[in-house]
Amino acid sequence: MSKAPKETSKDPVTGKPLPKGVWYRGPGQYQARKMVDGKRHRETFATASLARRWLMDVRAKAHVGQLEPPTSQKNQITFRELFERGGIEEPLIDVLGP
């Protein structure tokens, strides 16, 4: 498990305070993170204002129940789904013989 990012209270570029859940990663990199129902949603943006806007959007969608799973979980497929789609065929036992 990775450590939580080092929180920076002020934006080094503008000098303004960063909102909770947003931190400065380097030149042109602001990461926003929000935990909803035990799932971590995060994105990286070019400006702190874009990160703040995304956080507000995630909070609003979570409040009305329209938030989709994080992209890392959206692209995953379970073994059962793969099997049901026909991606796995007959067992290899037939190949080896009796």
Side-chain angles (χ1 to χ4, degrees):
M1 190 175 253
S2 63
K3 295 190 308 187
K6 194 164 124 180
E7 292 293 327
T8 305
S9 59
K10 285 192 176 185
D11 183 355
V13 176
T14 63
K16 295 179 181 179
L18 291 171
K20 182 180 177 183
V22 176
W23 69 93
Y24 181 75
R25 293 182 52 193
Q29 294 183 13
Y30 294 85
Q31 190 163 37
R33 180 172 74 174
K34 178 73 176 163
M35 182 80 75
V36 179
D37 296 329
K39 296 178 181 146
R40 182 172 290 140
H41 299 261
R42 67 176 161 219
E43 290 285 329
T44 303
F45 301 92
T47 65
S49 63
L50 291 174
R52 178 183 290 122
R53 188 179 304 166
W54 179 83
L55 271 177
M56 291 176 17
D57 186 45
V58 167
R59 288 180 188 135
K61 285 181 178 180
H63 182 70
V64 296
Q66 295 178 346
L67 188 64
E68 295 185 18
T71 55
S72 62
Q73 294 176 356
K74 195 186 308 184
N75 297 330
Q76 291 179 352
I77 185 169
T78 64
F79 181 78
R80 179 181 202 85
E81 290 171 333
L82 180 64
F83 185 77
E84 289 173 351
R85 288 182 186 179
I88 297 177
E89 298 179 7
E90 296 295 318
L92 294 177
I93 297 172
D94 293 340
V95 175
L96 300 174

Coordinates of all heavy atoms in Angstrom, one line a residue:
M1 N 0.8 -1.2 0.0 CA 0.0 0.0 0.0 C 0.9 1.2 0.0 O 1.9 1.3 0.7 CB -0.9 -0.1 1.2 CG -2.0 1.0 1.2 SD -3.0 0.8 2.6 CE -4.4 0.1 1.8
S2 N 0.6 2.2 -0.8 CA 1.4 3.4 -0.9 C 1.0 4.4 0.2 O -0.1 4.4 0.7 CB 1.3 4.0 -2.3 OG 0.0 4.4 -2.5
K3 N 2.0 5.3 0.4 CA 1.7 6.3 1.4 C 0.9 7.4 0.8 O 0.8 7.6 -0.4 CB 3.0 6.9 1.9 CG 3.9 5.9 2.6 CD 5.1 6.6 3.3 CE 5.9 7.5 2.4 NZ 7.1 7.9 3.0
A4 N 0.1 8.1 1.7 CA -0.7 9.3 1.2 C 0.3 10.4 0.7 O 1.4 10.5 1.3 CB -1.5 9.8 2.4
P5 N -0.2 11.1 -0.2 CA 0.7 12.2 -0.8 C 0.9 13.3 0.3 O 0.1 13.5 1.2 CB -0.1 12.7 -1.9 CG -1.5 12.4 -1.7 CD -1.4 11.1 -0.9
K6 N 2.0 13.9 0.2 CA 2.4 15.0 1.1 C 1.4 16.2 0.8 O 1.4 16.7 -0.4 CB 3.8 15.4 0.9 CG 4.4 16.3 1.9 CD 5.9 16.3 1.8 CE 6.4 17.6 1.7 NZ 7.9 17.7 1.6
E7 N 0.6 16.6 1.7 CA -0.3 17.7 1.5 C 0.4 19.0 1.5 O 1.3 19.3 2.3 CB -1.3 17.7 2.7 CG -2.3 16.5 2.7 CD -3.2 16.4 1.5 OE1 -3.6 17.5 1.0 OE2 -3.5 15.3 1.0
T8 N 0.1 19.8 0.5 CA 0.6 21.1 0.4 C -0.6 22.1 0.6 O -1.6 22.0 -0.1 CB 1.2 21.4 -1.0 OG1 2.2 20.3 -1.2 CG2 1.8 22.7 -1.1
S9 N -0.5 23.0 1.5 CA -1.6 23.8 1.8 C -1.8 25.0 0.8 O -2.8 25.5 0.6 CB -1.6 24.4 3.2 OG -0.4 25.1 3.4
K10 N -0.6 25.4 0.2 CA -0.7 26.5 -0.7 C -0.2 26.1 -2.1 O 0.8 25.3 -2.2 CB 0.2 27.7 -0.2 CG -0.5 28.5 0.9 CD 0.2 29.7 1.1 CE -0.5 30.6 2.2 NZ 0.1 31.9 2.4
D11 N -0.8 26.7 -3.1 CA -0.3 26.4 -4.5 C 1.0 27.2 -4.7 O 1.0 28.5 -4.6 CB -1.4 26.9 -5.5 CG -1.1 26.6 -6.9 OD1 0.1 26.2 -7.2 OD2 -1.9 26.9 -7.8
P12 N 2.1 26.6 -5.0 CA 3.3 27.3 -5.2 C 3.3 28.3 -6.4 O 4.1 29.2 -6.5 CB 4.4 26.3 -5.4 CG 3.7 25.0 -5.6 CD 2.3 25.2 -5.1
V13 N 2.4 28.0 -7.3 CA 2.3 28.9 -8.5 C 1.6 30.2 -8.3 O 2.0 31.3 -8.6 CB 1.7 28.1 -9.7 CG1 1.5 29.0 -10.9 CG2 2.5 26.9 -10.1
T14 N 0.4 30.0 -7.6 CA -0.5 31.2 -7.4 C -0.4 31.8 -6.0 O -0.8 32.9 -5.7 CB -1.9 30.9 -7.7 OG1 -2.4 29.9 -6.8 CG2 -2.1 30.4 -9.1
G15 N 0.1 30.9 -5.1 CA 0.1 31.3 -3.7 C -1.2 31.2 -2.9 O -1.3 31.4 -1.7
K16 N -2.3 30.8 -3.7 CA -3.6 30.5 -3.1 C -3.6 29.2 -2.4 O -2.9 28.3 -2.8 CB -4.7 30.6 -4.1 CG -4.8 31.9 -4.8 CD -5.9 31.9 -5.9 CE -6.0 33.2 -6.6 NZ -7.0 33.2 -7.6
P17 N -4.5 29.0 -1.4 CA -4.6 27.7 -0.7 C -5.3 26.7 -1.6 O -6.2 27.0 -2.4 CB -5.5 28.0 0.5 CG -6.1 29.3 0.3 CD -5.3 30.1 -0.7
L18 N -4.8 25.5 -1.5 CA -5.4 24.4 -2.3 C -6.5 23.8 -1.5 O -6.5 23.7 -0.3 CB -4.3 23.3 -2.6 CG -3.2 23.7 -3.5 CD1 -2.1 22.6 -3.5 CD2 -3.7 23.9 -4.9
P19 N -7.6 23.4 -2.2 CA -8.7 22.7 -1.5 C -8.3 21.4 -1.0 O -7.4 20.7 -1.5 CB -9.8 22.6 -2.6 CG -9.1 22.7 -3.9 CD -7.8 23.5 -3.7
K20 N -9.1 20.9 0.0 CA -8.8 19.6 0.5 C -9.0 18.5 -0.6 O -10.0 18.6 -1.3 CB -9.8 19.3 1.7 CG -9.6 18.0 2.3 CD -10.6 17.7 3.4 CE -10.4 16.4 4.0 NZ -11.4 16.1 5.0
G21 N -8.1 17.6 -0.7 CA -8.2 16.6 -1.8 C -7.4 16.9 -3.0 O -7.4 16.2 -4.0
V22 N -6.8 18.1 -3.1 CA -5.9 18.5 -4.2 C -4.5 18.8 -3.7 O -4.4 19.5 -2.7 CB -6.5 19.8 -4.9 CG1 -5.6 20.2 -6.0 CG2 -7.9 19.5 -5.4
W23 N -3.5 18.3 -4.4 CA -2.2 18.7 -4.1 C -1.3 18.9 -5.4 O -1.7 18.4 -6.4 CB -1.5 17.7 -3.2 CG -1.3 16.3 -3.8 CD1 -0.1 15.9 -4.4 CD2 -2.2 15.2 -3.9 NE1 -0.3 14.6 -4.8 CE2 -1.5 14.2 -4.5 CE3 -3.5 15.0 -3.5 CZ2 -2.1 13.0 -4.8 CZ3 -4.1 13.8 -3.7 CH2 -3.4 12.8 -4.3
Y24 N -0.3 19.6 -5.2 CA 0.6 20.0 -6.3 C 1.7 18.9 -6.5 O 2.3 18.5 -5.5 CB 1.3 21.3 -5.9 CG 2.3 21.9 -7.0 CD1 1.8 22.4 -8.1 CD2 3.6 21.8 -6.8 CE1 2.7 22.9 -9.1 CE2 4.5 22.3 -7.7 CZ 4.1 22.8 -8.9 OH 4.9 23.3 -9.8
R25 N 1.8 18.4 -7.7 CA 2.8 17.3 -7.9 C 4.0 17.8 -8.7 O 5.0 17.1 -8.7 CB 2.1 16.2 -8.8 CG 1.0 15.5 -8.1 CD 0.4 14.4 -9.0 NE 1.5 13.6 -9.5 CZ 1.3 12.7 -10.5 NH1 0.1 12.6 -11.0 NH2 2.3 12.0 -10.9
G26 N 3.9 18.9 -9.3 CA 5.1 19.4 -10.0 C 4.5 20.4 -11.0 O 3.3 20.7 -11.1
P27 N 5.4 21.0 -11.9 CA 5.0 22.0 -12.9 C 3.8 21.4 -13.7 O 3.9 20.4 -14.4 CB 6.2 22.2 -13.7 CG 7.3 21.8 -12.8 CD 6.8 20.7 -12.0
G28 N 2.7 22.1 -13.6 CA 1.5 21.8 -14.4 C 0.8 20.5 -14.0 O 0.1 19.9 -14.9
Q29 N 1.0 20.0 -12.8 CA 0.4 18.8 -12.4 C -0.2 18.9 -11.0 O 0.5 19.1 -10.0 CB 1.5 17.7 -12.3 CG 2.1 17.3 -13.6 CD 3.1 16.1 -13.4 OE1 3.2 15.5 -12.4 NE2 3.9 15.9 -14.4
Y30 N -1.5 18.9 -11.0 CA -2.3 18.9 -9.7 C -3.2 17.7 -9.7 O -3.9 17.4 -10.7 CB -3.2 20.2 -9.7 CG -2.4 21.5 -9.7 CD1 -1.9 22.1 -10.8 CD2 -2.1 22.1 -8.4 CE1 -1.2 23.2 -10.8 CE2 -1.4 23.3 -8.4 CZ -1.0 23.8 -9.6 OH -0.2 25.0 -9.5
Q31 N -3.0 16.9 -8.6 CA -3.8 15.7 -8.6 C -5.0 15.9 -7.6 O -4.8 16.5 -6.5 CB -3.0 14.5 -8.1 CG -3.8 13.2 -8.3 CD -2.9 12.0 -8.3 OE1 -1.9 12.0 -7.5 NE2 -3.2 11.0 -9.0
A32 N -6.2 15.5 -8.0 CA -7.4 15.6 -7.1 C -7.8 14.1 -6.8 O -7.7 13.2 -7.6 CB -8.5 16.3 -7.8
R33 N -8.2 13.9 -5.5 CA -8.5 12.6 -5.1 C -9.8 12.7 -4.2 O -9.9 13.5 -3.3 CB -7.4 12.0 -4.3 CG -7.6 10.6 -3.8 CD -6.4 10.0 -3.3 NE -6.0 10.6 -2.0 CZ -5.0 10.2 -1.2 NH1 -4.3 9.3 -1.6 NH2 -4.8 10.8 -0.1
K34 N -10.7 11.8 -4.4 CA -11.9 11.7 -3.6 C -12.3 10.3 -3.4 O -12.4 9.5 -4.4 CB -13.1 12.4 -4.4 CG -14.4 12.4 -3.7 CD -14.4 13.3 -2.5 CE -15.8 13.4 -1.9 NZ -15.8 13.9 -0.5
M35 N -12.6 9.9 -2.2 CA -13.0 8.5 -1.8 C -14.6 8.5 -1.7 O -15.1 9.3 -1.0 CB -12.4 8.1 -0.5 CG -12.8 6.7 -0.1 SD -11.8 5.4 -0.9 CE -10.3 5.6 0.0
V36 N -15.2 7.6 -2.5 CA -16.6 7.5 -2.5 C -17.0 6.0 -2.4 O -16.6 5.2 -3.2 CB -17.3 8.1 -3.8 CG1 -18.8 7.9 -3.8 CG2 -16.9 9.6 -4.0
D37 N -17.7 5.7 -1.4 CA -18.2 4.3 -1.2 C -17.0 3.3 -1.2 O -17.1 2.2 -1.7 CB -19.2 3.9 -2.2 CG -20.5 4.7 -2.1 OD1 -20.8 5.1 -1.0 OD2 -21.1 4.8 -3.1
G38 N -15.9 3.7 -0.6 CA -14.7 2.9 -0.5 C -13.9 2.8 -1.7 O -12.9 2.0 -1.8
K39 N -14.2 3.5 -2.8 CA -13.5 3.5 -4.0 C -12.8 4.8 -4.2 O -13.5 5.9 -4.1 CB -14.4 3.2 -5.2 CG -15.0 1.8 -5.1 CD -15.9 1.5 -6.2 CE -16.5 0.1 -6.0 NZ -17.8 0.0 -6.5
R40 N -11.5 4.8 -4.6 CA -10.8 6.1 -4.7 C -10.9 6.5 -6.2 O -10.5 5.8 -7.1 CB -9.3 5.9 -4.4 CG -8.5 7.1 -4.5 CD -7.1 6.9 -3.9 NE -7.3 6.8 -2.5 CZ -6.5 6.0 -1.7 NH1 -5.7 5.2 -2.3 NH2 -6.7 6.0 -0.4
H41 N -11.3 7.7 -6.4 CA -11.4 8.4 -7.7 C -10.3 9.4 -7.7 O -10.2 10.2 -6.8 CB -12.8 9.0 -7.9 CG -13.9 8.1 -7.9 ND1 -14.5 7.6 -9.0 CD2 -14.6 7.5 -6.8 CE1 -15.5 6.8 -8.7 NE2 -15.5 6.7 -7.4
R42 N -9.5 9.4 -8.8 CA -8.4 10.5 -8.8 C -8.1 10.8 -10.3 O -8.2 10.0 -11.2 CB -7.2 10.0 -8.1 CG -6.5 8.9 -8.7 CD -5.2 8.6 -7.9 NE -4.8 7.2 -8.2 CZ -4.3 6.4 -7.4 NH1 -4.1 6.7 -6.1 NH2 -4.0 5.2 -7.8
E43 N -7.7 12.0 -10.5 CA -7.4 12.5 -11.8 C -6.2 13.6 -11.6 O -6.1 14.2 -10.6 CB -8.6 13.2 -12.5 CG -9.7 12.3 -12.9 CD -9.3 11.5 -14.1 OE1 -8.6 12.0 -15.0 OE2 -9.8 10.4 -14.2
T44 N -5.5 13.8 -12.7 CA -4.4 14.8 -12.7 C -4.8 15.9 -13.7 O -5.3 15.6 -14.8 CB -3.1 14.2 -13.0 OG1 -2.8 13.1 -12.1 CG2 -2.0 15.2 -13.0
F45 N -4.6 17.1 -13.3 CA -5.0 18.3 -14.1 C -3.8 19.3 -14.2 O -2.9 19.3 -13.4 CB -6.2 19.0 -13.4 CG -7.4 18.1 -13.3 CD1 -7.6 17.4 -12.1 CD2 -8.2 18.0 -14.3 CE1 -8.7 16.6 -12.0 CE2 -9.4 17.1 -14.2 CZ -9.6 16.4 -13.1
A46 N -3.9 20.2 -15.2 CA -2.9 21.2 -15.4 C -3.0 22.3 -14.5 O -2.0 23.0 -14.2 CB -3.0 21.7 -16.9
T47 N -4.2 22.6 -13.9 CA -4.3 23.7 -13.0 C -5.1 23.3 -11.8 O -5.9 22.3 -11.8 CB -5.0 24.9 -13.6 OG1 -6.4 24.5 -13.9 CG2 -4.3 25.4 -14.9
A48 N -4.9 24.0 -10.7 CA -5.7 23.7 -9.4 C -7.1 24.0 -9.6 O -8.0 23.3 -9.0 CB -5.1 24.6 -8.3
S49 N -7.5 25.0 -10.4 CA -8.9 25.3 -10.6 C -9.6 24.2 -11.4 O -10.8 23.9 -11.0 CB -9.1 26.6 -11.3 OG -8.5 26.6 -12.6
L50 N -9.0 23.5 -12.3 CA -9.6 22.4 -13.0 C -9.8 21.2 -12.0 O -10.8 20.5 -12.0 CB -8.7 21.9 -14.2 CG -8.7 22.9 -15.4 CD1 -7.7 22.4 -16.4 CD2 -10.1 23.0 -16.0
A51 N -8.8 21.0 -11.2 CA -8.9 19.9 -10.2 C -10.0 20.2 -9.2 O -10.8 19.3 -8.8 CB -7.5 19.8 -9.4
R52 N -10.2 21.5 -8.8 CA -11.2 21.9 -7.9 C -12.6 21.6 -8.5 O -13.5 21.1 -7.9 CB -11.1 23.3 -7.5 CG -12.2 23.8 -6.6 CD -12.1 25.3 -6.2 NE -10.9 25.5 -5.3 CZ -9.9 26.3 -5.6 NH1 -9.8 27.0 -6.8 NH2 -8.9 26.4 -4.8
R53 N -12.7 22.0 -9.8 CA -14.0 21.8 -10.5 C -14.3 20.3 -10.6 O -15.5 19.9 -10.5 CB -13.8 22.4 -11.9 CG -15.1 22.5 -12.7 CD -15.0 23.1 -14.0 NE -14.4 24.4 -13.9 CZ -13.9 25.1 -14.9 NH1 -13.9 24.6 -16.1 NH2 -13.5 26.3 -14.7
W54 N -13.3 19.5 -10.9 CA -13.5 18.0 -11.0 C -14.0 17.5 -9.6 O -14.9 16.7 -9.6 CB -12.3 17.3 -11.4 CG -12.4 15.8 -11.5 CD1 -12.9 15.1 -12.6 CD2 -12.0 14.9 -10.5 NE1 -12.8 13.8 -12.3 CE2 -12.3 13.6 -11.1 CE3 -11.4 15.0 -9.3 CZ2 -12.1 12.5 -10.3 CZ3 -11.2 13.8 -8.6 CH2 -11.5 12.6 -9.1
L55 N -13.4 17.9 -8.6 CA -13.8 17.5 -7.2 C -15.3 17.8 -7.0 O -16.1 17.0 -6.4 CB -13.0 18.1 -6.1 CG -11.7 17.4 -5.7 CD1 -10.9 18.2 -4.7 CD2 -12.0 16.0 -5.2
M56 N -15.7 19.0 -7.3 CA -17.1 19.5 -7.1 C -18.0 18.6 -8.0 O -19.1 18.2 -7.5 CB -17.2 20.9 -7.5 CG -16.6 21.8 -6.5 SD -16.5 23.6 -6.8 CE -17.8 23.9 -7.9
D57 N -17.6 18.2 -9.2 CA -18.4 17.4 -10.1 C -18.5 16.0 -9.5 O -19.6 15.4 -9.5 CB -17.8 17.4 -11.4 CG -18.6 16.6 -12.5 OD1 -19.8 16.9 -12.5 OD2 -18.1 15.8 -13.2
V58 N -17.4 15.4 -9.0 CA -17.5 14.1 -8.4 C -18.4 14.1 -7.2 O -19.2 13.2 -7.0 CB -16.1 13.6 -8.0 CG1 -16.1 12.4 -7.1 CG2 -15.3 13.3 -9.3
R59 N -18.3 15.1 -6.3 CA -19.2 15.2 -5.1 C -20.6 15.3 -5.5 O -21.5 14.6 -5.0 CB -18.8 16.4 -4.3 CG -17.5 16.3 -3.6 CD -17.2 17.5 -2.8 NE -15.9 17.4 -2.2 CZ -15.0 18.4 -2.2 NH1 -15.3 19.6 -2.7 NH2 -13.8 18.2 -1.7
A60 N -21.0 16.1 -6.6 CA -22.3 16.2 -7.0 C -22.9 14.9 -7.6 O -24.0 14.5 -7.3 CB -22.5 17.3 -8.0
K61 N -22.1 14.2 -8.4 CA -22.5 13.0 -9.0 C -22.7 11.9 -8.0 O -23.6 11.1 -8.1 CB -21.5 12.5 -10.1 CG -21.6 13.3 -11.4 CD -20.6 12.8 -12.4 CE -20.8 13.6 -13.7 NZ -19.8 13.1 -14.7
A62 N -21.8 11.9 -7.0 CA -21.9 10.9 -5.9 C -23.2 11.1 -5.1 O -23.9 10.2 -4.7 CB -20.7 10.9 -5.0
H63 N -23.5 12.4 -4.9 CA -24.7 12.8 -4.1 C -26.0 12.3 -4.8 O -26.9 11.8 -4.1 CB -24.8 14.3 -3.9 CG -25.9 14.7 -3.1 ND1 -26.0 14.5 -1.7 CD2 -27.0 15.4 -3.4 CE1 -27.1 15.0 -1.2 NE2 -27.7 15.6 -2.2
V64 N -26.1 12.4 -6.1 CA -27.3 11.9 -6.8 C -27.2 10.5 -7.3 O -28.1 10.0 -8.0 CB -27.6 12.9 -8.0 CG1 -28.0 14.3 -7.4 CG2 -26.5 13.0 -9.0
G65 N -26.1 9.8 -7.1 CA -26.0 8.4 -7.5 C -25.6 8.2 -8.9 O -25.9 7.1 -9.4
Q66 N -25.0 9.1 -9.6 CA -24.7 9.0 -11.0 C -23.2 8.8 -11.2 O -22.7 8.8 -12.3 CB -25.1 10.2 -11.8 CG -26.6 10.4 -11.8 CD -27.0 11.7 -12.5 OE1 -26.2 12.5 -12.8 NE2 -28.3 11.8 -12.8
L67 N -22.4 8.6 -10.2 CA -21.0 8.4 -10.3 C -20.6 7.0 -10.8 O -21.0 6.0 -10.3 CB -20.3 8.7 -8.9 CG -18.8 8.7 -9.0 CD1 -18.3 9.9 -9.8 CD2 -18.2 8.9 -7.6
E68 N -19.8 7.0 -11.9 CA -19.4 5.7 -12.4 C -18.1 5.2 -11.7 O -17.4 6.0 -11.1 CB -19.0 5.9 -13.9 CG -20.2 6.2 -14.8 CD -19.9 6.3 -16.2 OE1 -18.9 5.8 -16.6 OE2 -20.7 6.9 -17.0
P69 N -17.8 3.9 -11.7 CA -16.6 3.5 -11.0 C -15.4 4.1 -11.6 O -15.3 4.5 -12.8 CB -16.6 2.0 -11.3 CG -17.6 1.7 -12.4 CD -18.5 2.9 -12.4
P70 N -14.3 4.1 -10.8 CA -13.0 4.7 -11.3 C -12.6 4.0 -12.6 O -12.9 2.8 -12.7 CB -12.0 4.5 -10.1 CG -12.9 4.2 -8.9 CD -14.2 3.7 -9.4
T71 N -11.8 4.6 -13.4 CA -11.4 4.1 -14.7 C -10.6 2.8 -14.5 O -10.7 1.9 -15.3 CB -10.6 5.1 -15.5 OG1 -9.5 5.5 -14.7 CG2 -11.5 6.2 -16.0
S72 N -9.8 2.7 -13.4 CA -9.0 1.5 -13.2 C -9.9 0.3 -13.0 O -9.6 -0.8 -13.4 CB -8.1 1.7 -12.0 OG -8.8 1.9 -10.8
Q73 N -11.1 0.5 -12.4 CA -12.0 -0.6 -12.2 C -13.0 -0.8 -13.4 O -13.5 -1.9 -13.6 CB -12.8 -0.4 -10.9 CG -11.9 -0.5 -9.7 CD -12.7 -0.2 -8.4 OE1 -13.9 0.1 -8.5 NE2 -12.0 -0.2 -7.3
K74 N -13.2 0.2 -14.1 CA -14.1 0.2 -15.2 C -13.7 -0.8 -16.3 O -14.4 -1.5 -17.0 CB -14.3 1.6 -15.8 CG -15.5 1.7 -16.7 CD -15.6 3.0 -17.4 CE -15.5 4.2 -16.5 NZ -15.7 5.5 -17.2
N75 N -12.4 -0.9 -16.6 CA -11.8 -1.7 -17.6 C -11.5 -3.1 -17.2 O -11.0 -3.9 -18.1 CB -10.5 -1.0 -18.2 CG -10.8 0.3 -18.8 OD1 -11.9 0.5 -19.3 ND2 -9.9 1.2 -18.7
Q76 N -11.7 -3.5 -16.0 CA -11.4 -4.8 -15.5 C -12.6 -5.8 -15.9 O -13.7 -5.4 -15.9 CB -11.2 -4.9 -14.0 CG -9.9 -4.2 -13.6 CD -9.7 -4.2 -12.1 OE1 -10.6 -4.6 -11.4 NE2 -8.5 -3.7 -11.7
I77 N -12.2 -7.0 -16.1 CA -13.2 -8.1 -16.4 C -12.9 -9.2 -15.5 O -11.8 -9.6 -15.2 CB -13.2 -8.5 -17.9 CG1 -14.3 -9.5 -18.2 CG2 -11.8 -9.1 -18.2 CD1 -14.4 -9.8 -19.7
T78 N -14.0 -9.8 -14.9 CA -13.8 -10.9 -14.0 C -13.7 -12.2 -14.8 O -14.0 -12.3 -16.0 CB -15.1 -11.1 -13.1 OG1 -16.2 -11.4 -13.9 CG2 -15.3 -9.8 -12.3
F79 N -13.1 -13.2 -14.2 CA -12.9 -14.5 -14.8 C -14.3 -15.1 -15.3 O -14.4 -15.6 -16.4 CB -12.3 -15.5 -13.9 CG -12.0 -16.8 -14.5 CD1 -11.0 -17.0 -15.3 CD2 -12.9 -17.9 -14.2 CE1 -10.7 -18.3 -15.9 CE2 -12.6 -19.2 -14.8 CZ -11.6 -19.3 -15.7
R80 N -15.3 -14.9 -14.5 CA -16.7 -15.4 -14.8 C -17.2 -14.7 -16.1 O -17.7 -15.4 -17.0 CB -17.6 -15.2 -13.7 CG -19.0 -15.6 -14.0 CD -19.9 -15.3 -12.8 NE -21.1 -16.2 -12.8 CZ -21.1 -17.4 -12.2 NH1 -20.1 -17.9 -11.7 NH2 -22.2 -18.1 -12.3
E81 N -17.0 -13.4 -16.2 CA -17.5 -12.7 -17.4 C -16.7 -13.2 -18.6 O -17.3 -13.3 -19.7 CB -17.3 -11.2 -17.2 CG -18.2 -10.6 -16.2 CD -17.8 -9.1 -15.9 OE1 -16.6 -8.7 -16.0 OE2 -18.7 -8.4 -15.5
L82 N -15.4 -13.4 -18.5 CA -14.6 -13.9 -19.6 C -15.1 -15.2 -20.1 O -15.2 -15.5 -21.3 CB -13.1 -13.9 -19.2 CG -12.2 -14.4 -20.3 CD1 -12.1 -13.5 -21.5 CD2 -10.8 -14.6 -19.7
F83 N -15.4 -16.1 -19.1 CA -15.8 -17.5 -19.4 C -17.2 -17.4 -20.1 O -17.4 -18.1 -21.1 CB -15.9 -18.3 -18.1 CG -16.3 -19.7 -18.4 CD1 -15.3 -20.6 -18.8 CD2 -17.6 -20.1 -18.1 CE1 -15.7 -21.9 -19.1 CE2 -17.9 -21.5 -18.3 CZ -17.0 -22.4 -18.8
E84 N -18.1 -16.5 -19.6 CA -19.5 -16.5 -20.1 C -19.5 -15.9 -21.6 O -20.3 -16.2 -22.4 CB -20.4 -15.6 -19.2 CG -20.7 -16.4 -18.0 CD -21.5 -15.5 -17.0 OE1 -21.6 -14.3 -17.2 OE2 -21.9 -16.1 -15.9
R85 N -18.5 -15.0 -21.9 CA -18.4 -14.4 -23.2 C -17.8 -15.4 -24.2 O -17.8 -15.2 -25.4 CB -17.5 -13.2 -23.2 CG -18.1 -12.0 -22.5 CD -17.2 -10.8 -22.6 NE -17.7 -9.7 -21.8 CZ -17.1 -8.6 -21.7 NH1 -15.9 -8.4 -22.3 NH2 -17.6 -7.6 -21.0
G86 N -17.3 -16.5 -23.7 CA -16.8 -17.5 -24.7 C -15.3 -17.3 -24.9 O -14.7 -17.9 -25.8
G87 N -14.6 -16.5 -24.1 CA -13.2 -16.3 -24.2 C -12.4 -17.5 -23.8 O -11.3 -17.7 -24.2
I88 N -13.0 -18.4 -23.0 CA -12.3 -19.6 -22.6 C -13.2 -20.8 -23.1 O -14.4 -20.8 -22.9 CB -12.2 -19.7 -21.1 CG1 -11.3 -18.5 -20.6 CG2 -11.6 -21.0 -20.6 CD1 -11.2 -18.4 -19.1
E89 N -12.5 -21.7 -23.8 CA -13.3 -22.8 -24.4 C -13.0 -24.1 -23.5 O -12.9 -24.0 -22.4 CB -12.8 -23.0 -25.8 CG -13.2 -21.7 -26.7 CD -12.8 -21.8 -28.1 OE1 -12.3 -22.9 -28.5 OE2 -12.9 -20.8 -28.8
E90 N -13.0 -25.2 -24.2 CA -12.9 -26.5 -23.5 C -11.7 -26.5 -22.7 O -10.6 -26.0 -23.0 CB -12.8 -27.6 -24.6 CG -14.1 -27.7 -25.4 CD -15.3 -28.1 -24.6 OE1 -15.2 -29.0 -23.7 OE2 -16.4 -27.5 -24.8
P91 N -11.7 -27.3 -21.6 CA -10.5 -27.5 -20.7 C -9.4 -28.1 -21.5 O -9.6 -28.8 -22.5 CB -11.0 -28.4 -19.6 CG -12.5 -28.4 -19.7 CD -12.9 -28.0 -21.1
L92 N -8.2 -27.9 -21.0 CA -7.0 -28.4 -21.7 C -6.8 -29.9 -21.4 O -5.9 -30.5 -22.0 CB -5.8 -27.7 -21.2 CG -5.7 -26.2 -21.6 CD1 -4.5 -25.5 -21.0 CD2 -5.7 -26.0 -23.1
I93 N -7.6 -30.5 -20.6 CA -7.5 -31.9 -20.3 C -7.6 -32.8 -21.6 O -7.0 -33.8 -21.8 CB -8.6 -32.4 -19.3 CG1 -8.3 -31.6 -18.0 CG2 -8.5 -33.9 -19.0 CD1 -9.3 -31.8 -16.9
D94 N -8.5 -32.3 -22.5 CA -8.7 -33.1 -23.8 C -7.4 -33.1 -24.6 O -7.2 -34.1 -25.3 CB -9.8 -32.4 -24.6 CG -11.2 -32.6 -23.9 OD1 -11.3 -33.5 -23.0 OD2 -12.1 -31.8 -24.2
V95 N -6.6 -32.1 -24.5 CA -5.4 -32.0 -25.3 C -4.4 -33.0 -24.7 O -3.6 -33.6 -25.5 CB -4.8 -30.6 -25.2 CG1 -3.5 -30.5 -25.9 CG2 -5.8 -29.6 -25.8
L96 N -4.3 -33.2 -23.4 CA -3.4 -34.1 -22.8 C -3.7 -35.6 -23.0 O -2.9 -36.4 -22.9 CB -3.2 -33.8 -21.4 CG -2.7 -32.3 -21.1 CD1 -2.7 -32.1 -19.6 CD2 -1.3 -32.1 -21.6
G97 N -4.9 -35.8 -23.3 CA -5.4 -37.2 -23.5 C -5.9 -37.8 -22.1 O -5.8 -37.2 -21.1
P98 N -6.3 -39.1 -22.2 CA -6.9 -39.8 -21.0 C -5.8 -40.1 -20.0 O -4.7 -40.2 -20.1 CB -7.6 -41.0 -21.5 CG -7.1 -41.2 -22.9 CD -6.5 -39.9 -23.4

